Amino acid sequence: MSYLSHDERRSELLHAAVRVLERDGLAAVTSRAVATEAGASPGLVHHRFASTSELAAEAWLAYVERERTAYELETPTPGRAALDAFFAPFADGDLAGLARWADAWRHAQSDERFAGAFAESYRALERSLAARLPGAGDRTAAASRLLLIAFGIAGAQRIDPGLLSEPGALMAGAIDRELATS
């Protein structure tokens, strides 16, 4: 392993944590898993991050920021197409992506450090989505309603993928209702 500065090594470990999160889920973000992913020792992970909770929270924030930034670059104009792109995992049946959000929601309820990171990521998503909602109404409230519906659908899909017969249609209906009231 080559020499990297403290910040470079921390960044490398954080990127490894994001890869573990995407591939195996939030619960898999452990110092051992991240160390293996980065080709480092678990002690090095502990040296750069105060706790596994801090590591998971920072990995979550990095993951959401990357996804949110990509969305904003791809959908600069408000409208239905931007909303459809935001909620594409429902239409595409992306159960892994939905499970990530459901797991993060659940994890935030039991881990105070992660709860702060989740709240921060939620507010960032809310701002991104509100900026792409057309109309003059309370776009932040509309964005929040859509996000909460999405989290509910994601949670139901996580519990049982067959629980909701058409999660994409449910989300599309929620988008239709918000657009009709704006």
Side-chain angles (χ1 to χ4, degrees), residues 66-78:
R66 187 195 69 210
E67 295 296 307
R68 188 185 62 76
T69 299
Y71 168 72
E72 288 181 359
L73 290 172
E74 292 169 7
T75 59
T77 306

Side-chain angles (χ1 to χ4, degrees), residues 145-156:
R145 284 190 295 272
L146 288 172
L147 285 172
L148 292 172
I149 290 167
F151 291 150
I153 292 171

Side-chain angles (χ1 to χ4, degrees), residues 14 18 21-22 26 56-72 86 97 100-101 104-105 114 117-128 147 151:
L14 185 58
V18 170
L21 183 152
E22 287 181 297
L26 188 58
E58 290 193 32
W60 177 254
L61 287 172
Y63 164 73
V64 171
E65 182 62 17
R66 187 195 69 210
E67 295 296 307
R68 188 185 62 76
T69 299
Y71 168 72
E72 288 181 359
F86 190 92
R100 238 178 256 121
W101 278 97
W105 179 272
F114 190 82
F118 186 86
E120 185 179 329
S121 68
Y122 178 90
R123 285 189 289 275
L125 284 179
E126 186 181 61
R127 283 189 305 273
S128 290
L147 285 172
F151 291 150

Side-chain angles (χ1 to χ4, degrees), residues 87-104:
F87 294 107
F90 294 93
D92 298 342
D94 178 8
L95 297 183
L98 296 176
R100 238 178 256 121
W101 278 97
D103 286 345

Side-chain angles (χ1 to χ4, degrees), residues 1 6 9-10 12-14 16-17 29-56:
M1 183 170 255
H6 183 285
R9 181 69 69 204
R10 194 172 198 287
E12 177 185 80
L13 293 170
L14 185 58
V29 179
T30 64
S31 57
R32 184 176 309 274
V34 171
T36 299
E37 182 72 24
S41 71
L44 184 62
V45 175
H46 288 292
H47 185 67
R48 297 296 189 262
F49 295 90
S51 65
T52 302
S53 181
E54 177 187 354
L55 177 62

